[in-house]
Amino acid sequence: MTLVLIVDDVPAMAEQYAYDLKRLRGYETLIAKSGRTALESLTRDSVDCVILDLEMPGMDGFEVLRSVEGLGLRVPIIVYTGTGDYDRCVQAIRLGAYSFIDKAEPMERVAQEVENAIERRRLANEVTSLRRGFGLETPLVGTSAALSKLKEMIVRVAPVPSPALIVGESGTGKELVARELHRLGPNPKGPFVALNSAALPHELVESELFGHERGAFTGATATRKGAFEAATGGTLFLDEIGDLPPNAQAKLLRVLEERKVTRIGANKTIDVNARVVAATHRDLEKEVADGRFRQDLFYRLNVFPINVPSLRERGEDIPLLVEYLIERYATKAGKRIRKISRSALTLFQAYEWPGNIRELQNVIERAVILCDGDTFSVDETWLTRHPKAAAGPSISIGTSLPQQQHLQSETERQMIEAALAVTRGRIAGPKGAAAKLGIPRQTLDSKITAFGIDKHRYKSQSR
């Protein structure tokens, strides 16, 4: 439901606007006959847009704008005037108004301005949410079997509006998967609202989910929509659902079944229509067995389980991810990095990545910032906590010469394959594998032949 507040000291004018907005767009409306009444309504009701008369006795439109700004209310305001004094309208824009119209404008244009204002606020909220979310800097980059399986599952599940449960270790990009489900789903233009259950104080979880009325509890100075209302027509992403307290679990189950919410302190229910996508790094089946998570809620959320692989399960994607992230952070830092040191790639592929992609991002961003030349390298002391048990060949004093030569050849082969993966099979040119390895093209060609490496395999993976 879209609610528009019309503020005008002339009741006939306000009522005509209310009638026409209902007729043309189906908007619900409230009417305030003074600036003071308008502010009371804004702190009490969940208003989506305001049409404000600038010329009113007592508290005029300019004072209303200043008060809205002072109260921190984020609602688009369209001002109108019948005097034709557009300098005053420009002044109102500087005070935070979204746009201005003349009272003589046809109602079709007024209705369109309201729609534009609401859409702009929705987009602004979406951008804020995007900036707040982690993992958004890394798309689903890679060609590994594990990632291909994940992409296939996303494509199959996205069009179906039933709940989905995303499971995976911390840092694997579960929110990114949720956003892909939204982007490929039936309502990609609808809102995407993300809520981290683990980050919310238990006493505020229900307010965040379902909203509250003014005065419902200490500190509730204004009516507030909950996440379900805000996500209506789109997707509600509930991250770390395993940390939701028991009382909120019961109420969440009821909302999923009835598609209705009741704000804290309210008596009436509100229809909601948001697809729920939940995520957790916990083993929810074990949580259910231990009595910490409701079994009925688990079954309701687990309609489409989606497993996000850890980075160590998709090790062949690391070269592609490294290249992508280096280019991104180098552009951000205003640097030109053309090559990746052999030691860096070898180190990255021999590491367990307990923090997954989030940790990889952190390491690469730090290394890019500290990089002085055009070759990317990394301090190995950053990655010494979790080396792989079989990270690759190693050479010790007691190893025989033939064994050492074999191990060195194996290391060289792995480095060539990593470079080919990064360059998608490209050999020549400043971004080719030869340049990244720092050897002539002819030398690389001969080594590829000697090792029996199928360079065309990497080209087919890039399609």
Side-chain angles (χ1 to χ4, degrees):
M1 180 187 74
T2 299
L3 184 62
V4 180
L5 174 64
I6 303 165
V7 188
D8 198 317
D9 63 311
V10 180
M13 176 67 73
E15 289 166 5
Q16 183 63 48
Y17 267 64
Y19 171 80
D20 286 331
L21 288 173
K22 178 73 172 179
R23 173 178 60 87
L24 292 170
R25 290 290 196 277
Y27 296 150
E28 297 297 323
T29 56
L30 293 173
I31 293 175
K33 298 179 181 178
S34 69
R36 190 70 59 189
T37 306
L39 291 177
E40 292 174 358
S41 180
L42 285 170
T43 56
R44 181 183 66 244
D45 304 302
S46 296
V47 175
D48 296 293
C49 185
V50 178
I51 297 178
L52 174 66
D53 185 14
L54 287 177
E55 320 298 336
M56 293 186 296
M59 177 181 279
D60 64 9
F62 295 103
E63 290 185 63
V64 172
L65 287 167
R66 294 187 186 96
S67 298
V68 167
E69 177 70 20
L71 291 170
L73 301 175
R74 300 184 62 187
V75 57
I77 299 176
I78 300 169
V79 297
Y80 68 2
T81 178
T83 65
D85 189 346
Y86 293 109
D87 288 339
R88 289 172 63 78
C89 291
V90 171
Q91 182 184 348
I93 297 294
R94 289 171 179 161
L95 288 174
Y98 167 75
S99 65
F100 64 86
I101 54 177
D102 192 284
K103 289 185 178 181
E105 296 274 9
M107 276 307 300
E108 288 76 7
R109 178 171 182 267
V110 176
Q112 186 61 53
E113 280 294 306
V114 172
E115 183 176 322
N116 292 345
I118 293 171
E119 176 66 8
R120 180 176 176 180
R121 185 180 71 161
R122 185 192 70 77
L123 290 173
N125 291 340
E126 180 79 0
V127 169
T128 300
S129 179
L130 284 167
R131 288 173 176 167
R132 192 179 297 126
F134 91 85
L136 298 175
E137 297 175 341
T138 310
L140 295 173
V141 173
T143 58
S144 65
L147 189 64
S148 297
K149 184 178 179 180
L150 173 62
K151 291 177 180 178
E152 181 183 350
M153 178 62 73
I154 292 172
V155 171
R156 293 178 62 186
V157 171
V160 185
S162 300
L165 179 63
I166 304 171
V167 296
E169 297 177 9
S170 294
T172 51
K174 295 187 288 294
E175 182 171 340
L176 176 62
V177 173
R179 291 185 182 277
E180 281 294 282
L181 290 172
H182 175 72
R183 184 180 69 84
L184 299 174
N187 298 307
K189 292 186 178 180
F192 180 94
V193 177
L195 199 65
N196 189 326
S197 307
L200 296 173
H202 282 197
E203 63 272 14
L204 295 180
V205 170
E206 292 183 26
S207 172
E208 291 291 332
L209 280 172
F210 314 121
H212 63 254
E213 295 291 327
R214 181 186 182 189
F217 51 84
T218 303
T221 58
T223 296
R224 182 180 179 186
K225 289 183 180 180
F228 268 98
E229 284 185 78
T232 291
T235 301
L236 174 58
F237 174 57
L238 299 177
D239 199 6
E240 299 301 347
I241 192 72
D243 292 281
L244 206 63
N247 289 344
Q249 290 180 30
K251 293 186 177 181
L252 173 60
L253 176 64
R254 187 166 64 249
V255 173
L256 290 174
E257 292 176 342
E258 299 177 359
R259 315 300 292 177
K260 297 178 183 291
V261 297
T262 303
R263 294 176 187 160
I264 299 175
N267 296 318
K268 65 177 183 178
T269 60
I270 300 169
D271 292 333
V272 291
N273 180 29
R275 180 186 190 175
V276 173
V277 177
T280 182
H281 73 282
R282 298 180 184 274
D283 182 347
L284 284 191
E285 291 189 77
K286 185 177 185 303
E287 295 291 302
V288 169
D290 293 342
R292 290 189 292 269
F293 199 82
R294 292 180 64 104
Q295 185 180 56
D296 45 7
L297 178 58
F298 170 69
Y299 288 137
R300 192 72 184 85
L301 292 171
N302 200 39
V303 176
F304 288 110
I306 300 175
N307 181 65
V308 184
S310 64
L311 193 52
R312 62 184 169 276
E313 295 176 85
R314 40 181 294 218
E316 56 265 53
D317 292 333
I318 287 177
L320 296 175
L321 282 164
V322 169
E323 181 186 35
Y324 172 84
L325 289 169
I326 288 174
E327 289 184 2
R328 177 177 180 84
Y329 290 125
T331 300
K332 184 178 177 181
K335 295 186 176 184
R336 296 186 66 185
I337 297 177
R338 299 181 178 181
K339 295 184 290 184
I340 304 172
S341 70
R342 300 180 187 184
S343 60
L345 267 181
T346 302
L347 189 63
F348 282 159
Q349 291 187 302
Y351 183 62
E352 282 282 1
W353 296 108
N356 291 292
I357 294 176
R358 183 191 292 145
E359 183 182 10
L360 178 65
Q361 286 177 294
N362 177 272
V363 170
I364 290 180
E365 184 174 17
R366 190 189 332 173
V368 166
I369 292 171
L370 296 175
C371 183
D372 293 325
D374 64 353
T375 301
F376 176 88
S377 60
V378 66
D379 186 338
E380 65 178 19
T381 61
W382 299 347
L383 305 174
T384 55
R385 292 176 296 131
H386 298 268
K388 290 182 180 176
S394 60
I395 300 173
S396 62
I397 297 299
T399 308
S400 67
L401 184 58
Q403 287 177 314
Q404 289 188 28
Q405 290 172 338
H406 170 74
L407 292 173
Q408 288 172 342
S409 296
E410 180 62 19
T411 300
E412 189 174 16
R413 183 187 65 78
Q414 290 181 1
M415 292 174 63
I416 290 172
E417 289 189 334
L420 288 171
V422 168
T423 61
R424 280 78 161 176
R426 186 192 310 166
I427 294 178
K431 291 189 176 182
K436 290 186 180 296
L437 291 169
I439 60 177
R441 174 181 175 175
Q442 293 81 0
T443 303
L444 178 57
D445 282 332
S446 63
K447 288 181 179 293
I448 288 173
T449 302
F451 286 125
I453 297 171
D454 181 9
K455 61 185 178 183
H456 300 290
R457 175 168 66 93
Y458 298 97
K459 292 181 180 179
S460 64
Q461 286 179 349
S462 67
R463 294 192 182 101

